[in-house]
Amino acid sequence: MNLSDISSIKKLLSSQGFSFKKSLGQNFLIDSTVCPAMAEAACDENTGVLEIGPGIGVLTEQLSKRAKKVVTIELDQRLEKILNITLKECDNVKVIFGDAMKLDLSKIIAENFFDCEKVAVCANLPYYITSPIVMMLLESRLPIDNITVMVQLEAAQRLCAQVGTRDSGAVTVAVTYYAEKEILFEVNRESFLPSPNVDSAVIQLKIRKEPVIKVNNEEKFFRLVKACFAQRRKTLVNTVSNTLGIDKSVLKNALLEIGLTETVRGEQLSMEEIAQLSDKI
Ligand code: SAM
C-alpha cells in the first residue's frame, strides 16, 4: 500500500472508521518525498530510531527500511488496527501505545536499542507539544545522536535561530546549549491531510557531547534564560529583576563588568554573555 497516496489513505481510514482528532495534532503526511528524506537524514543501518506519533505509519515505514530498529510511540489507541495493517511487513518495528511525554524513554531506549551503535529520534511532531517534547528530549540527556523532526515553520525558525537575534527565545538558548541546529528543508501545508493553516519545516538537532558553554550552576543559568525572555519589550535589568527579584543595581553592575550597557535587552545577549551574567549574579 502506498501510504503517501491520498486516495489509499482515505480508503484505509474510512474502512476503519477513523476520524482525525485535531486535539492530538493529527495531520498526516501525504507527500511521498518528505518521509524518505527525513529517514535518510536521521539514521543508517546501525541506528535505533525512536519515533513519536506514527499516525498511519508513513514515516515509520521509511525509517524501518533504513534503520536497525524502530520503536514508535502513539498516543491514539484507535490507530492500532491501522498500524497492524500498514506495518505488517516491517519486522524491525515495535509500536508502543502511550504518551511520549509520560513514558520512561530512557528505559525504552536501554531495553530496545542496546545492540544499536547509535540512537536517533525522528518524528513529524504533534504541533501542540513541539517545544515541550524537544525540551524534554534535550533535558533528559538521553543517549541520542540526533533529533530530526518536523515542526511548524515558525517553531523551526525559533528553535534554530541565532542566539542574540530578534528571532531567538528561551528555547533557542536551550537548544543551542545542548545541540547544533539546522533547518533541513521546508514543507508546504498542502503536504498534509488534513492541511493545517501553517507551513512546516524539518529540523535536525545534533546533540553535543558537552554543552556549548560551561556554567557554574545550570539550573540558575536556565532560570536566568527564562527571565531574560519573559518580558521581551523591557530591558534585561527590568525583566530579570521583576521575574527573579534580583536587585537592579546588582544586575547593572554585572552587565557593566561583562562590557554590556544597562539598557541591553535579554534577546541581544550571546550564549557566552548569558553564561557570564549567570555566574556573576
Ligand atoms: N507520523 C505521522 C505522519 O507523519 O503522517 C503522523 C504525524 S501527526 C502530525 C502526530 C501524531 O502524534 C498523531 O498520530 C498523534 O495521534 C500522535 N500524538 C499526539 N500526541 C502524542 C503524544 N503525547 N505521544 C505520542 N503520540 C502522540
Side-chain angles (χ1 to χ4, degrees):
M1 187 185 309
N2 180 353
L3 295 180
S4 315
D5 174 59
I6 187 157
S7 57
S8 314
I9 298 175
K10 280 185 172 166
K11 219 188 225 170
L12 174 69
L13 294 179
S14 78
S15 74
Q16 300 300 323
F18 182 86
S19 54
F20 290 96
K21 266 197 190 157
K22 207 175 172 191
S23 62
L24 291 183
Q26 290 180 335
N27 301 96
F28 296 169
L29 268 163
I30 49 168
D31 180 325
S32 62
T33 63
V34 174
C35 294
M38 284 180 77
E40 200 64 43
C43 64
D44 61 23
E45 69 279 9
N46 302 312
T47 315
V49 181
L50 186 66
E51 187 194 12
I52 295 168
I56 61 165
V58 62
L59 175 60
T60 325
E61 184 188 41
Q62 295 301 321
L63 292 167
S64 163
K65 283 185 186 168
R66 292 166 178 82
K68 183 160 182 168
K69 286 183 185 170
V70 181
V71 172
T72 186
I73 301 172
E74 174 57 61
L75 182 57
D76 191 350
Q77 190 86 40
R78 297 176 308 151
L79 287 161
E80 186 170 10
K81 275 194 200 148
I82 292 176
L83 286 167
N84 282 340
I85 299 170
T86 56
L87 300 178
K88 198 170 53 201
E89 276 152 33
C90 300
D91 296 334
N92 60 350
V93 174
K94 178 171 170 181
V95 183
I96 297 176
F97 285 94
D99 186 336
M101 289 296 290
K102 295 188 183 147
L103 290 168
D104 184 346
L105 300 187
S106 168
K107 193 166 163 226
I108 291 175
I109 288 173
E111 283 176 359
N112 291 281
F113 300 145
F114 57 86
D115 55 350
C116 298
E117 269 176 28
K118 54 186 173 179
V119 176
V121 173
C122 189
N124 172 12
L125 286 179
Y127 291 159
Y128 73 104
I129 42 168
T130 299
S131 289
I133 287 189
V134 170
M135 287 315 300
M136 177 271 287
L137 292 169
L138 293 171
E139 284 172 352
S140 51
R141 292 214 153 91
L142 298 166
I144 298 173
D145 179 77
N146 76 78
I147 300 173
T148 304
V149 285
M150 171 103 65
V151 299
Q152 277 188 20
L153 182 56
E154 210 179 56
Q157 286 161 343
R158 173 79 77 197
L159 290 163
C160 295
Q162 191 76 32
V163 175
T165 65
R166 289 192 87 183
D167 289 340
S168 69
V171 74
T172 320
V173 177
V175 166
T176 308
Y177 184 78
Y178 293 110
E180 286 175 51
K181 56 211 194 296
E182 187 186 355
I183 296 184
L184 296 185
F185 54 90
E186 293 184 14
V187 180
N188 191 283
R189 65 193 72 185
E190 304 303 331
S191 302
F192 300 88
L193 178 76
S195 174
N197 296 328
V198 288
D199 293 322
S200 295
V202 175
I203 63 168
Q204 185 162 63
L205 311 179
K206 287 193 178 140
I207 311 302
R208 303 177 194 277
K209 298 264 176 286
E210 294 293 333
V212 69
I213 38 147
K214 276 211 154 48
V215 290
N216 292 341
N217 181 333
E218 215 170 66
E219 205 190 313
K220 195 166 110 188
F221 171 74
F222 281 112
R223 258 189 283 135
L224 174 65
V225 169
K226 276 200 187 120
C228 278
F229 290 94
Q231 297 162 308
R232 295 184 74 108
R233 296 229 178 94
K234 295 200 168 153
T235 63
L236 182 147
V237 170
N238 283 333
T239 177
V240 173
S241 78
N242 288 347
T243 317
L244 298 182
I246 298 173
D247 198 88
K248 287 186 183 173
S249 62
V250 172
L251 288 164
K252 285 179 189 172
N253 285 338
L255 284 175
L256 289 178
E257 280 175 34
I258 302 168
L260 295 166
T261 66
E262 58 181 70
T263 56
V264 74
R265 285 202 309 275
E267 67 191 27
Q268 295 174 303
L269 267 63
S270 66
M271 290 296 286
E272 292 72 18
E273 288 164 342
I274 305 173
Q276 283 176 37
L277 184 61
S278 147
D279 287 349
K280 278 185 189 297
I281 58 176

